Amino acid sequence: MKRLVILGAGTAGTMVANKLRRRLPMDEWQLTVVDRDDIHLYQPGLLFIPFGTYRPDEVRKPRRRFLRDGIRLELGEIDRIDPVRQTVALDGGRVIGYDYLVVATGTSPRPDQTPGMLGPEWRKSIFDFYSYEGSVALAGALRDFRGGRLVVHIVDQPIKCPVAPLEFTFLAESYFRQRGMRDQVELVYATPLSGAFTKPIASAQLGGMLDERKITVEPDFLVERIDSERKVLVSYDERELGFDLLVTVPLNMGADFIARSGLGDELNYVPVDKQTFRSKEHPAIFAIGDANDIPTSKAGSVAHFSTEIFVDNFCDLVEGRPMTRAFDGHANCFVESGDGKALLIDFNYDTEPLPGEFPIAKLGPLSLLRENARNHWGKLAFRWIYWHLLLPGRRLPLPARMSMAGKHQPDKEN
Amino acid sequence: MPVVTVGPATVHVDAEGFLTQYDEWNEPLARQLAARIGIELTDEHWKAISFLRADYPAHGETATLRRVSTLAGIPIKQLFVLFPGKPAKKMAYIAGLPKPRGCV
């Protein structure tokens, strides 16, 4: 029997396990998935919990329920990978051998990496919303907030779901307006980037939306530490930014066992070929989803599109054929903008998010880079799609490769 | 791609003045580029610039501040002192590399 081991049963790991279980013969391949617990978190839902749109129990389900028959789930903390012996050691002495290894352990917020963040104000006036506990705690803090300065803050790039802090800001603005207390809340968006977003056209559009809502942007702000006694963020260039309530996105890092195994870069991401996700150092290792260092968004849509490419390539590889499919960096994200509306952005390694329309077979087009209610309903419908179609590895009517159909190049129209 | 003259050299740059050809860079050119943004290169500056130059071909991307800090052992705080304001961009400009993409 050949052994495929997948580390992590999140979005990417679960999809890959299910897709490959259908394509690799049962009598030739043993498939093992390793995770630390049996709780699958619907991460896009964390954004909505602070505003009461989702209940906490709507975003968590057992991992096991989403893994097909014939996939073994091992629960335990990963100690390290030995890429020479081709083994994975778990805490407590269990060792699992592999012929091929897929690292899908994602990226995690690390509040411990910014001095002062985990001080006495943590989850009193300093919150994150990228963890289940943080998001649930923040719901209470928003409910009790009586006004003052709310700072939404990003420690550094890359982060998973890079549009989520903007979405949180738009939703907070709308939330306070609907509660009739918008004029008692000063909203500040502090980012290490020079604008609202990285790519020029989307940055201008999203920056304009922040302006319209009277949200101040503090650009090029790279935090060095938090002085929790004075409730102040201090940047490396010695700017100070006070807050009454801080919603921060801590530094994102890959899993520590990747560093212990000598497989990571400076943020514990596995360096891979950006078209095939094969480790640059170890040909039996692949890293997918947020765990690798490919230069595109760390987002569920990227995990989805890239696993389709990966699965086809992997089947070719194990049957002795060359891997012929190449990932183009395709990402596709709904951006909630408050008041029951959202935008949609669609882009890849080479093409930035552009305005226009995004065609979907049978359902009709969604508009790109423009707010409307249809996009918002699309985002909410996605939760059902995620549990019932995406995780089981069923095909969605979305191409893995980005298409230019419907998109407008503003400079070419002038 | 526009072509500009920097001191005795003629080089290819993008719209913001970042060099687009890795091999057109050399040390005298780096001194000229640094002078244009008000920086006189000391040994400490060179440590960062040399790391960026060596890292780029292997990594395929311009190193981020955190990468320079971790792998070249220069604290981020010090990079802000050496290249005030926007250290990531200034280092890339002097090292003749693409503007760091900042991530997506």
Side-chain angles (χ1 to χ4, degrees):
Chain A
M1 286 286 265
K2 286 188 221 126
R3 300 156 306 169
L4 170 64
V5 174
I6 299 170
L7 303 180
T11 307
T14 302
M15 280 191 286
V16 161
N18 287 328
K19 282 173 192 280
L20 281 177
R21 186 62 288 176
R22 277 194 298 215
R23 294 188 44 182
L24 299 172
M26 281 286 219
D27 54 350
E28 290 175 29
W29 283 89
Q30 187 183 68
L31 244 83
T32 305
V33 179
V34 181
D35 208 302
R36 61 154 63 101
D37 59 38
D38 193 19
I39 303 167
H40 189 113
L41 188 59
Y42 175 61
Q43 296 188 72
L46 294 175
L47 173 69
F48 293 109
I49 288 179
F51 304 102
T53 313
Y54 285 160
R55 290 191 320 271
D57 63 293
E58 289 176 307
V59 299
R60 303 207 298 178
K61 293 180 195 283
R63 297 188 195 277
R64 216 178 283 274
R65 194 191 294 173
F66 299 95
L67 293 168
R68 295 175 72 86
D69 287 348
I71 299 169
R72 196 160 58 109
L73 176 64
E74 284 271 349
L75 294 181
E77 285 287 340
I78 298 160
D79 175 36
R80 70 186 63 219
I81 298 166
D82 183 336
V84 178
R85 291 198 177 128
Q86 304 204 164
T87 56
V88 179
L90 306 187
D91 277 358
R94 267 179 296 169
V95 174
I96 305 171
Y98 64 83
D99 295 291
Y100 286 100
L101 182 71
V102 176
V103 180
T105 37
T107 182
S108 306
R110 293 289 294 267
D112 58 305
Q113 298 289 314
T114 300
M117 196 180 278
L118 284 179
E121 290 298 314
W122 180 244
R123 297 207 176 136
K124 283 195 185 137
S125 63
I126 303 176
F127 293 85
D128 71 322
F129 67 91
Y130 277 75
S131 65
Y132 177 79
E133 295 75 15
S135 167
V136 171
L138 182 53
L142 284 184
R143 213 168 40 230
D144 298 340
F145 193 52
R146 293 288 163 260
R149 185 192 271 173
L150 167 58
V151 177
V152 181
H153 165 248
I154 300 154
V155 170
D156 205 355
Q157 301 285 350
I159 56 170
K160 67 178 136 188
C161 196
V163 293
L166 278 169
E167 297 182 276
F168 181 87
T169 310
F170 292 140
L171 289 174
E173 196 275 338
S174 166
Y175 173 87
F176 291 126
R177 203 162 8 88
Q178 282 165 20
R179 278 179 51 187
M181 57 181 288
R182 177 63 184 92
D183 55 354
Q184 291 146 52
V185 181
E186 185 192 354
L187 275 163
V188 179
Y189 186 78
T191 169
L193 301 176
S194 296
F197 199 60
T198 43
K199 311 285 179 145
I201 295 171
S203 185
Q205 167 76 14
L206 294 162
M209 288 167 58
L210 290 169
D211 278 352
E212 280 166 22
R213 290 161 172 77
K214 307 220 174 346
I215 297 161
T216 312
V217 178
E218 185 72 30
D220 299 305
F221 190 92
L222 197 63
V223 73
E224 184 191 8
R225 62 193 170 87
I226 297 176
D227 182 337
S228 59
E229 212 161 284
R230 290 165 56 227
K231 291 198 178 180
V232 170
L233 292 159
V234 184
S235 70
Y236 281 106
D237 54 357
E238 286 161 17
R239 275 180 282 165
E240 294 199 341
L241 189 54
F243 59 85
D244 295 297
L245 182 61
L246 175 64
V247 178
T248 187
V249 182
L251 187 67
N252 277 215
M253 291 177 76
D256 283 337
F257 77 83
I258 291 172
R260 283 198 293 274
S261 311
L263 292 173
D265 66 7
E266 71 282 2
L267 289 170
N268 302 347
Y269 299 127
V270 182
V272 296
D273 176 275
K274 69 177 187 177
Q275 296 181 328
T276 63
F277 322 113
R278 196 175 205 173
S279 158
K280 286 181 175 169
E281 257 185 282
H282 304 286
I285 299 180
F286 290 81
I288 57 166
D290 295 344
N292 63 31
D293 74 337
I294 62 173
T296 184
S297 292
K298 297 200 174 295
S301 61
V302 173
H304 167 209
F305 299 134
S306 62
T307 53
E308 295 200 356
I309 305 285
F310 167 73
V311 164
D312 286 349
N313 276 340
F314 189 77
C315 291
D316 280 337
L317 176 73
V318 299
E319 282 163 31
R321 294 188 297 264
M323 299 193 288
T324 53
R325 297 198 67 186
F327 184 53
D328 66 349
H330 188 191
N332 176 293
C333 314
F334 287 109
V335 184
E336 280 292 305
S337 57
D339 304 305
K341 293 181 185 170
L343 293 76
L344 181 65
I345 56 176
D346 190 63
F347 55 105
N348 70 9
Y349 288 141
D350 305 316
T351 306
E352 65 172 307
L354 295 171
E357 287 192 331
F358 181 75
I360 300 182
K362 294 187 185 134
L363 296 173
L366 292 168
S367 54
L368 291 167
L369 260 183
R370 203 178 65 231
E371 295 176 72
N372 64 28
R374 200 172 148 89
N375 289 336
H376 168 70
W377 291 112
K379 176 138 182 157
L380 292 187
F382 188 71
R383 185 164 57 103
W384 187 91
I385 293 171
Y386 182 85
W387 294 120
H388 297 276
L389 300 177
L390 202 69
L391 283 188
R394 299 207 171 88
R395 269 200 185 278
L396 297 187
L398 293 173
R401 291 191 73 78
M402 196 204 74
S403 158
M404 285 304 289
K407 292 190 173 70
H408 306 307
Q409 279 278 13
D411 51 352
K412 287 187 185 157
E413 285 168 8
N414 291 338
Chain B
M1 287 293 171
V3 175
V4 296
T5 307
V6 182
T10 303
V11 294
H12 294 80
V13 296
D14 69 10
E16 292 174 87
F18 290 82
L19 262 66
T20 55
Q21 310 283 325
Y22 183 83
D23 294 329
E24 287 182 352
W25 182 92
N26 55 42
E27 294 192 2
L29 182 72
R31 281 190 204 97
Q32 301 260 5
L33 290 168
R36 287 187 167 198
I37 53 172
I39 293 174
E40 194 182 329
L41 295 177
T42 65
D43 287 354
E44 248 192 310
H45 291 97
W46 277 112
K47 190 176 166 192
I49 299 297
S50 307
F51 171 78
L52 258 86
R53 288 293 300 174
D55 186 60
Y56 182 79
H59 186 54
E61 298 274 331
T62 303
T64 61
L65 286 184
R66 224 164 275 275
R67 187 170 174 89
V68 178
S69 163
T70 309
L71 300 184
I74 310 168
I76 293 179
K77 185 89 180 171
Q78 187 58 14
L79 294 172
F80 271 88
V81 173
L82 294 170
F83 305 93
K86 301 186 179 187
K89 277 181 207 157
K90 287 185 176 173
M91 283 192 297
Y93 176 77
I94 297 169
L97 300 175
K99 185 171 91 169
R101 64 168 79 221
C103 276
V104 201

